[in-house]
Amino acid sequence: MEKEKRPAAGGENGENEKIETLRAWLNGAESVIIGAGAGLSTAAGFTYGGERFRRYFADFADKYGFRDMYSGGFYPYDTLEEFWAYWSRYVYVNRYDQPAGKPYEDLLALVRDKNYFVLTTNVDHRFQVAGFDKARLFYTQGDYGLFQCSAPCHNKTYDNEAQIRAMLQEQKDMRIPSELVPRCPVCGKPMAMNLRSDDTFAEDEGWHAACRRYEAFLRENEGKKVLFLELGVGMNTPGIIKYPFWQMTYRNKNARYACINLEIAYAPKEISDRSACIASDLNILSRLHG
């Protein structure tokens, strides 16, 4: 499809009109398929740079020179003790004991009583914290709450909460005790985070079960009045959510496509008459109630 880069709304009046259109589509949809990217968590306060980064990682920043959490995650630490001191803190502040965030709560209020499914590249567990049905979620890129073998020697994942909390509690001078370094129970190699960054990502049975549920949901709703609701999806991995949503909207003449994104809010011209694209922060979801 040819992308038509056009303003998502013509000022405040245009934005209000698109919000009303989207509200009507939500009310009239037989099913809602949500595609959520990093922008949704950013709107919920899960920023990875700036003041929040300094609050939790000033010591790492001063020692190693990186300026955001992502960079710290890829830093070549000399030891696993340093690596896991960083990652245990990283996982904790983005996964455990954190509120869902208002945009997630607003979204749940919009779809709770509807036939919905969520496809997300986010790995921070906010959907489940907010109260979304776990059986209606497909986390394609992993979960901060899971370890896997770094090789991997097998496609199984392991809940990491107890280990993360122990590392957080016991770390000192940006290192954890050596005995807390997680190792694969099968081959003994160091564990890794279950996050898709290369071809070592472990797609466990839970991942495949969620994939099957998503594919079944798509089949069951083919040709119906489907709203493809894309929220905060950028262009890092457009082949997971954005492009498939465009293609499925194009093929189903009863479908509608909506996109809310602070910077990337547009649709191909082939579906522009069935699209509502709003250039806004995701906190705008609260305006869709009523």
Side-chain angles (χ1 to χ4, degrees):
M1 290 185 183
E2 180 183 346
K3 292 180 289 186
E4 180 183 355
K5 294 190 177 182
R6 53 190 172 79
E12 184 177 348
N13 289 337
E15 182 177 276
N16 289 338
E17 181 180 341
K18 292 194 175 189
I19 289 171
E20 290 301 318
T21 296
L22 179 49
R23 183 183 292 118
W25 288 352
L26 273 167
N27 291 336
E30 295 177 271
S31 60
V32 181
I33 300 175
I34 298 163
L40 186 58
S41 287
T42 299
F46 289 83
T47 54
Y48 284 59
E51 186 277 331
R52 186 169 182 264
F53 167 69
R54 289 292 305 180
R55 187 191 323 157
Y56 296 115
F57 296 99
D59 51 353
F60 278 91
D62 292 343
K63 180 175 180 178
Y64 299 105
F66 48 77
R67 291 292 177 264
D68 62 77
M69 295 186 206
Y70 284 122
S71 299
F74 288 98
Y75 189 87
Y77 299 99
D78 290 334
T79 68
L80 288 171
E81 287 81 2
E82 292 170 283
F83 176 89
W84 284 112
Y86 182 83
W87 269 99
S88 59
R89 206 182 301 179
Y90 183 116
V91 171
Y92 179 76
V93 302
N94 292 299
R95 174 65 162 75
Y96 296 116
D97 298 339
Q98 308 299 324
K102 191 172 184 299
Y104 283 94
E105 295 167 354
D106 287 336
L107 180 60
L108 179 60
L110 289 171
V111 302
R112 188 194 305 273
D113 299 323
K114 298 185 182 300
N115 184 32
Y116 74 85
F117 204 100
V118 176
L119 174 68
T120 183
T121 53
N122 295 345
V123 295
D124 52 20
H125 207 65
R126 294 307 92 200
F127 281 101
Q128 282 165 266
V129 172
F132 283 79
D133 182 354
K134 184 179 179 179
R136 294 174 178 266
L137 301 174
F138 180 21
Y139 288 85
T140 65
Q141 305 297 78
D143 187 335
Y144 284 148
L146 299 174
F147 286 158
Q148 65 166 75
C149 175
S150 58
C153 69
H154 63 301
N155 283 324
K156 184 177 179 181
T157 59
Y158 301 83
D159 291 339
N160 65 23
E161 182 173 1
Q163 291 164 287
I164 290 293
R165 291 183 184 278
M167 292 181 205
L168 191 71
Q169 181 69 27
E170 298 297 327
Q171 65 180 255
K172 184 178 180 181
D173 297 327
M174 292 170 281
R175 297 173 66 91
I176 66 166
S178 296
E179 61 268 21
L180 291 183
V181 172
R183 295 190 177 275
C184 176
V186 177
C187 72
K189 289 183 178 179
M191 295 291 256
M193 295 300 303
N194 181 233
L195 304 173
R196 190 189 301 276
S197 59
D198 55 31
D199 60 2
T200 63
F201 178 69
E203 296 177 354
D204 65 4
E205 178 50 38
W207 188 97
H208 284 286
C211 182
R212 289 191 294 269
R213 289 194 296 269
Y214 176 60
E215 291 173 345
F217 191 88
L218 293 178
R219 289 193 299 270
E220 291 163 5
N221 290 279
E222 258 185 291
K224 294 183 179 179
K225 294 180 180 178
V226 179
L227 172 62
F228 290 96
L229 180 59
E230 180 194 300
L231 304 173
V233 175
M235 294 302 290
N236 286 336
T237 53
I240 296 175
I241 296 173
K242 188 178 290 289
Y243 293 167
F245 275 24
W246 288 352
Q247 292 162 353
M248 288 186 286
T249 302
Y250 177 74
R251 291 196 299 266
N252 177 4
K253 301 307 179 183
N254 292 317
R256 300 292 182 267
Y257 167 77
C259 171
I260 305 177
N261 193 303
L262 196 58
E263 298 178 351
I264 307 170
Y266 58 85
K269 65 181 182 180
E270 290 91 342
I271 61 170
S272 61
D273 61 335
R274 292 185 283 125
S275 299
C277 300
I278 305 171
S280 173
D281 182 280
L282 268 297
N283 285 292
I284 202 173
L285 289 169
S286 61
R287 293 172 59 187
L288 289 168
H289 295 291

